[in-house]
Amino acid sequence: MLISAAYAQTGSGLGGALTGEGMMGLLPILLMFALLYFLMIRPQMKRAKDLKAMTDALQKGDEVITAAGILGKVTKVSDVYISVEIASGTEIQMQKAAVQTLLPKGSIKALS
C-alpha cells in the first residue's frame, strides 16, 4: 500500500518541445542571451577593435600611457615592439599591446 499507481502522462507526439508551452519556456533564456550579448559581449568586441586600431596607428612622436602607468613618447615603432622615451636619454622597449592610451600632443610637457 506504500506504492502508488503510476499513470502515463498524455502529451503531444513531439514531447511538447515545439508547442506553445515549450516556446514560452525558452523565451526567458533567449532574452537573457540577447541582453548578455548587447550589454557585455558587443561592447567588449568594440573596445578590442578600437584598441587594435590605435596600436596599429602608433607612430614616432606619439605620447602614450602604458598598462603599467608609464608616460612617454614613442621614438621607434616596429611590428610588435615600440621604444618609449620616459625621460631624456632613457628609452625602454615594450610590446605595442602594452599601450593603453594615446595622449594628445604636448600632454607630457603640460604634466611636468
Side-chain angles (χ1 to χ4, degrees):
M1 295 300 176
L2 297 174
I3 299 174
S4 63
Y7 294 101
Q9 293 182 352
T10 59
S12 68
L14 297 174
L18 297 177
T19 63
E21 293 173 5
M23 285 298 196
M24 290 304 289
L26 289 177
L27 188 62
I29 294 171
L30 293 174
L31 288 175
M32 283 191 284
F33 180 74
L35 188 67
L36 177 77
Y37 177 77
F38 284 108
L39 291 179
M40 295 180 75
I41 297 171
R42 191 167 178 237
Q44 178 104 12
M45 290 185 337
K46 184 180 183 313
R47 180 165 158 38
K49 182 180 172 185
D50 292 345
L51 188 62
K52 175 144 176 53
M54 187 263 304
T55 56
D56 288 343
L58 282 176
Q59 56 187 334
K60 184 178 178 180
D62 286 343
E63 296 176 357
V64 295
I65 298 177
T66 68
I70 300 171
L71 279 74
K73 185 182 282 191
V74 176
T75 58
K76 204 181 306 178
V77 179
S78 68
D79 290 339
V80 180
Y81 296 99
I82 60 171
S83 291
V84 179
E85 183 179 29
I86 56 174
S88 59
T90 306
E91 286 187 18
I92 57 173
Q93 279 194 328
M94 59 180 47
Q95 294 179 338
K96 277 185 172 182
V99 175
Q100 187 175 10
T101 307
L102 183 64
L103 296 172
K105 300 280 185 192
S107 296
I108 293 177
K109 283 187 180 181
L111 292 174
S112 56

